[in-house]
């Protein structure tokens, strides 16, 4: 499985055995580019978000390769050397310096450098080792947006005034938004003193917030219209949004936008005022502005009421054909009608972890101690898209030996057909064997 080179989007990359951790199913996904597949719900959702950030103010970049350097993905954005997101347990590496981007922010530096317009959008597939359930898949899609103002090009170098003039041209919505926190926080989100004034950062923050609120209001009103088409008696709770203080190494101040949906506050995006180092390092030190990153898949799930993120990867016409009628005017959205629901096959596995002393390690970031994401990868590598959910259900440390034992419940369920019990057993036996072979655990 570990060859000495892999090809992604037509380009070959040398792999390193101590680093390469990209399984075949994830590698295959690099060729799909669902955000560019006409009529796909990810494509439709991208277009709806893009419509809020129109040309020529914004320029669109939708074809960046998912293979980036650790510098692009982490260093250029100010992630510290020991940031947990860099670990092999969290990120797919090709070799020590080359990886599959974990977020579209990997392209910030290059796009700030290359882009001549006032803003840009980057839509792309991103890759993360993570848990398995109906809203997590190792590949998903993000859209990055940024809007910059050039101090040397606005009247009197007064960026605050220029941003406020632009703010006046944005539509106003009438949805209730909570925003209880002060704009700055001394430790996590200080004013970038020496680079811009509080008035500038505040104006940029307001422009950012209004732009994103408008987009989210539109998404939810389209989702409501689609729901009403389905069920004329549909009653919705009124939309509520709130801004929450957040931390990102490359923005200050930073926020997340949460939306109250189906009884829960749902995080929909991260954003902030871009750290000046990014502009300076990109050779455009006179610019300042905002950036945001939004997960397209989760928004598409809300918009079309798609119950499981795996459906996006389906090649089944019963899924794909449901989105055929959507015109380029994006005014005919219909909710997804699930095909018949196939029965789940839950199966448990419990095992002793390999004692920590026998782990080999080739440096701090190498494959070694047990990590739950490795279980997820093993299950996905055997059962592919037939696995719906993997959950830790029990944990136990032996009082004398100190050895740790864990139990997981794996739910096997195909979205496309009924699994026979024999098939589910065959997957589960394969998973048990692979856990032993790949992770060195001892089954109980
Ligand atoms: N890249 C961040 C993430 O994936 C989101 C983000 C983008 C935050 C741009 C701030 C600015 O979580």
């Amino acid at each position: 499985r570990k060859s000495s080179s892999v090809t992604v989007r037509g380009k070959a990359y040398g792999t390193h055995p101590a680093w390469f951790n990209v399984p075949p199913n994830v590698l295959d996904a690099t060729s799909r580019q669902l955000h560019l597949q006409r009529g796909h719900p990810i494509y439709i959702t991208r277009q709806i978000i893009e419509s809020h950030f129109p040309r020529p103010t914004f320029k669109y970049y939708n074809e960046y390769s998912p293979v980036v350097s650790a510098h692009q993905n982490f260093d250029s954005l100010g992630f510290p050397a020991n940031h947990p997101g860099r670990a092999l347990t969290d990120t797919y590496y090709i070799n020590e310096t080359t990886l599959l981007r974990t977020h579209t922010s990997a392209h910030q530096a290059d796009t700030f450098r290359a882009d001549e317009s006032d803003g840009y959008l980057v839509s792309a597939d991103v890759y993360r080792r993570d848990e398995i359930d109906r809203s997590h898949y190792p590949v998903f899609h993000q859209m990055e947006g940024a809007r910059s103002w050039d101090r040397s090009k606005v009247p009197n170098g007064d960026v605050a005034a220029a941003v406020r003039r632009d703010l006046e041209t944005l539509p106003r919505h009438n949805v209730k938004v909570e925003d209880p926190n002060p704009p700055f926080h001394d430790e996590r989100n200080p004013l970038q003193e020496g680079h811009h004034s509080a008035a500038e950062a505040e104006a940029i923050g307001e422009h950012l917030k209004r732009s994103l609120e408008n987009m989210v209001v539109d998404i939810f009103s389209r989702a409501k219209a689609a729901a009403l088409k389905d069920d004329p008696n549909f009653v919705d709770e009124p939309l509520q949004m709130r801004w929450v203080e957040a931390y990102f190494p490359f923005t200050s101040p930073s926020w997340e936008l949460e939306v109250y949906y189906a009884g829960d506050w749902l995080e929909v995006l991260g954003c902030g005022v871009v750290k000046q180092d990014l502009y300076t390092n990109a050779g455009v030190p006179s610019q300042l502005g905002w950036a945001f990153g939004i997960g397209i898949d989760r928004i598409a799930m809300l918009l079309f009421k798609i119950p499981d993120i795996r459906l996006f990867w389906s090649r089944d016409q019963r899924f794909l054909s449901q989105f055929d009628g959507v015109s380029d005017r994006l005014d005919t959205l219909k909710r997804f009608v699930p095909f018949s629901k196939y029965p789940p096959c839950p199966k448990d596995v419990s095992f002793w972890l390999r004692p920590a002393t026998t782990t080999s390690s080739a440096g701090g970031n190498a494959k070694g101690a047990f990590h739950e994401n490795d279980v997820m990868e093993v299950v996905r590598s055997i059962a592919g898209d037939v696995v719906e959910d993997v959950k830790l259900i029990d944990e136990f440390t032996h009082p004398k030996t100190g050895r740790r034992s864990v139990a997981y419940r794996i739910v096997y369920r195909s979205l496309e057909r009924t699994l026979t019990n024999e098939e589910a057993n065959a997957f589960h036996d394969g998973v048990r064997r692979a856990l032993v072979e790949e992770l060195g655990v001892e089954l109980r």
Side-chain angles (χ1 to χ4, degrees):
R1 162 176 136 194
K2 297 185 177 71
S3 54
S4 57
S5 95
V6 287
T7 301
V8 177
R9 302 242 185 110
K11 202 171 162 215
Y13 300 88
T15 59
H16 188 290
W19 288 84
F20 182 62
N21 64 348
V22 190
N25 56 318
V26 171
L27 211 47
D28 289 346
T30 60
S31 65
R32 297 285 296 275
Q33 298 190 274
L34 303 181
H35 63 296
L36 301 181
Q37 192 181 309
R38 219 187 150 78
H40 194 282
I42 298 287
Y43 173 101
I44 296 165
T45 306
R46 170 179 66 78
Q47 285 189 305
I48 291 174
I49 307 174
E50 281 177 353
S51 70
H52 288 268
F53 303 97
R55 299 181 174 96
T57 305
F58 291 85
K59 190 168 170 202
Y60 305 158
Y61 298 82
N62 294 338
E63 314 226 12
Y64 283 132
S65 166
V67 180
V68 300
S69 64
H71 178 85
Q72 287 171 298
N73 200 79
F74 296 119
D75 306 81
S76 73
L77 294 158
F79 282 85
N82 63 356
H83 191 278
R86 294 183 187 250
L88 273 167
T89 52
D90 289 46
T91 294
Y92 291 110
Y93 280 87
I94 289 172
N95 56 50
E96 185 171 1
T97 54
T98 315
L99 51 84
L100 299 181
R101 70 184 152 224
T102 65
H103 55 174
T104 42
S105 301
H107 302 290
Q108 270 193 21
D110 299 329
T111 317
F112 282 132
R113 181 181 298 279
D115 191 60
E116 313 239 289
S117 48
D118 295 333
Y120 65 78
L121 298 177
V122 173
S123 297
D125 38 332
V126 300
Y127 297 78
R128 290 186 199 173
R129 300 186 85 223
D130 210 336
E131 58 199 278
I132 296 182
D133 63 33
R134 288 197 227 176
S135 63
H136 288 87
Y137 199 78
V139 192
F140 58 103
H141 302 80
Q142 279 189 330
M143 187 186 300
E144 189 96 355
R147 174 79 163 89
S148 305
W149 287 265
D150 194 319
R151 190 184 295 293
S152 67
K153 290 185 189 150
V154 302
N156 312 317
D158 186 348
V159 174
V163 175
R164 292 209 176 275
R165 272 195 301 279
D166 287 334
L167 184 60
E168 286 308 308
T169 68
L170 293 179
R172 284 170 201 282
H173 62 78
N174 52 13
V175 171
K176 180 168 158 231
V177 189
E178 288 168 45
D179 191 0
N181 300 308
F184 303 106
H185 182 284
D186 282 351
E187 282 153 53
R188 290 185 299 270
N189 281 307
L191 170 69
Q192 298 181 50
E193 241 171 323
H195 295 298
H196 47 242
S197 67
E200 286 173 328
E202 282 170 33
I204 290 169
E206 274 180 54
H207 189 277
L208 166 66
K209 286 174 175 172
R210 176 95 66 78
S211 305
L212 293 171
E213 288 165 13
N214 283 341
M215 184 257 290
V216 169
V217 168
D218 175 40
I219 299 266
F220 278 79
S221 77
R222 287 172 194 263
K224 184 172 182 183
L228 281 168
K229 212 171 282 178
D230 213 28
D231 168 10
N233 298 318
F234 176 83
V235 224
D236 201 5
E237 306 158 66
L239 177 61
Q240 286 181 68
M241 300 186 270
R242 70 179 182 199
W243 288 101
V244 180
E245 196 208 336
Y247 174 79
F248 303 103
F250 42 94
T251 50
S252 186
S254 314
W255 300 275
E256 275 163 4
L257 180 58
E258 296 186 343
V259 171
Y260 194 74
Y261 180 77
D264 269 318
W265 285 101
L266 194 75
E267 177 205 319
V268 295
L269 58 88
C271 64
V273 178
V274 176
K275 283 210 183 150
Q276 209 55 36
D277 277 355
L278 270 117
Y279 288 112
T280 306
N281 295 340
V284 286
S286 62
Q287 296 190 8
L288 58 162
W290 54 246
F292 72 85
I294 186 168
I296 302 178
D297 305 55
R298 297 257 177 96
I299 296 291
M301 290 173 82
L302 292 174
L303 197 49
F304 296 99
K305 203 159 188 260
I306 291 172
D308 191 307
I309 194 168
R310 289 175 291 165
L311 280 162
F312 294 131
W313 301 90
S314 174
R315 300 178 197 259
D316 193 319
Q317 279 311 314
R318 288 175 299 173
F319 176 72
L320 295 171
S321 66
Q322 292 198 27
F323 309 96
D324 278 352
V326 180
S327 77
D328 282 343
R329 301 207 319 279
L330 304 169
D331 52 4
T332 55
L333 303 190
K334 283 202 321 287
R335 293 216 284 195
F336 172 63
V337 183
F339 10 112
S340 49
K341 200 149 164 74
Y342 303 98
C345 299
K347 301 202 179 281
D348 297 350
V349 57
S350 48
F351 49 86
W352 294 104
L353 302 188
R354 184 178 51 180
T357 46
T358 65
T359 58
S360 64
S361 82
N365 200 17
K367 296 163 191 173
F370 174 82
H371 192 292
E372 185 161 281
N373 285 349
D374 295 331
V375 174
M376 305 295 166
E377 198 83 87
V378 164
V379 179
R380 193 88 77 178
S381 74
I382 300 292
D385 287 357
V386 161
V387 54
E388 174 174 287
D389 193 86
V390 180
K391 223 187 246 59
L392 183 68
I393 52 168
D394 195 26
E395 214 175 346
F396 167 75
T397 303
H398 192 282
K400 295 224 176 75
T401 62
R403 263 182 111 189
R404 198 153 78 93
S405 148
V406 292
Y408 284 92
R409 176 154 303 153
I410 304 171
V411 178
Y412 301 94
R413 181 197 328 234
S414 168
L415 293 164
E416 288 157 6
R417 63 196 173 83
T418 297
L419 279 193
T420 65
N421 200 41
E422 290 79 66
E423 284 175 293
N425 280 334
F427 283 127
H428 199 58
D429 287 343
V431 165
R432 289 166 60 88
R433 265 197 306 277
L435 287 168
V436 173
E437 278 161 27
E438 313 253 329
L439 307 184
V441 308
E442 188 190 320
L443 298 173
R444 296 189 60 175

